[in-house]
Amino acid sequence: MKKLVLPAVGALFLLQLASCINTEREVGTSKNADRVFTPSPEANRGRVSERTVLRTVNAAHTFSSTKAKDNFVLQLRGPKIATSQAYFMIISPTGDTLRKEVMPATALINERDLDDPQAATLRDKEIAILQGMNSFFRDDRFVQPAVPRAAPQPQNVDAQSWTSVKDDARAVGFDYPSADGRERRVAYSKKLGRAVVIAE
């Protein structure tokens, strides 16, 4: 029994000695040895900022190439869902950014998702924004051809972009809500080598 007690007492003594050494070191580097350390409120600020990614939704779809799919990304960035910004990006199979657009998160709200848009609470709006993210890349938003043959050119669309997409029957269009709440269609112009807006 004595053989077990002596090593146990020795281990406890070494443990106590180590804790005293650590305490002395901590007190020695402290500016005020009598004061207990408490983190300042400023230390917790800045963790959630305008660049904080709250949620990301991805979809892979044919767009700029028929051989590989492009990556469609929608990110919600900001400190709170209702006041955040939605970053919409289309990235080619080779990693090039074909389109990058920023819109307020409220542009993702579909009025039909709210029972009463006038009386909607903050929580109702946040849920509607998240539902809008979930349905942002629905299959029915992708259309081919991007421009029907008989479609007239919209006045607010660049003529060169319009004709380059209209001439390509294999071009894929993607419809999404823009910052001003209207539907916008974007398509890839092989002739121009970039994504262009063909309807607003």
Side-chain angles (χ1 to χ4, degrees):
M1 185 74 174
K2 288 182 181 179
K3 289 181 181 179
L4 292 174
V5 173
L6 191 57
V9 171
L12 287 173
F13 175 74
L14 288 174
L15 186 62
Q16 180 65 27
L17 182 64
S19 68
C20 291
I21 291 170
N22 287 345
T23 305
E24 287 174 8
R25 188 181 315 137
E26 289 166 4
V27 171
T29 57
S30 174
K31 292 180 182 175
N32 185 353
D34 298 331
R35 192 171 163 201
V36 177
F37 173 76
T38 53
S40 65
E42 290 83 20
N44 291 328
R45 287 188 195 154
R47 290 188 182 179
V48 178
S49 68
E50 298 298 319
R51 288 190 267 168
T52 302
V53 176
L54 300 174
R55 187 155 192 248
T56 302
V57 177
N58 295 323
H61 204 283
T62 305
F63 187 70
S64 66
S65 171
T66 55
K67 296 175 183 174
K69 294 184 176 182
D70 296 76
N71 191 20
F72 286 71
V73 181
L74 183 66
Q75 280 188 342
L76 208 59
R77 297 183 194 173
K80 295 180 182 177
I81 293 172
T83 59
S84 61
Q85 297 289 313
Y87 286 73
F88 167 51
M89 294 163 281
I90 303 174
I91 300 162
S92 73
T94 57
D96 296 325
T97 302
L98 302 177
R99 181 150 187 90
K100 184 176 182 181
E101 189 174 330
V102 182
M103 63 188 97
T106 52
L108 301 173
I109 295 175
N110 186 339
E111 297 291 325
R112 289 172 289 191
D113 291 338
L114 298 172
D115 293 332
D116 183 5
Q118 301 298 330
T121 64
L122 180 64
R123 180 170 158 66
D124 293 336
K125 290 177 183 175
E126 288 178 343
I127 291 170
I129 289 168
L130 296 176
Q131 288 173 338
M133 286 190 79
N134 289 342
S135 62
F136 197 79
F137 298 122
R138 284 189 330 247
D139 286 338
D140 63 345
R141 291 195 176 202
F142 292 91
V143 293
Q144 189 178 22
V147 177
R149 282 278 171 213
Q153 180 187 333
Q155 293 179 352
N156 56 351
V157 173
D158 175 51
Q160 186 181 19
S161 301
W162 172 262
T163 53
S164 68
V165 174
K166 189 172 182 178
D167 292 343
D168 183 5
R170 299 180 78 180
V172 176
F174 174 65
D175 296 333
Y176 64 99
S178 61
D180 58 7
R182 293 184 298 174
E183 281 283 317
R184 179 178 287 171
R185 180 173 292 179
V186 65
Y188 185 76
S189 167
K190 288 185 179 177
K191 189 175 182 181
L192 302 175
R194 58 188 169 88
V196 293
V197 174
I198 53 169
E200 280 195 80

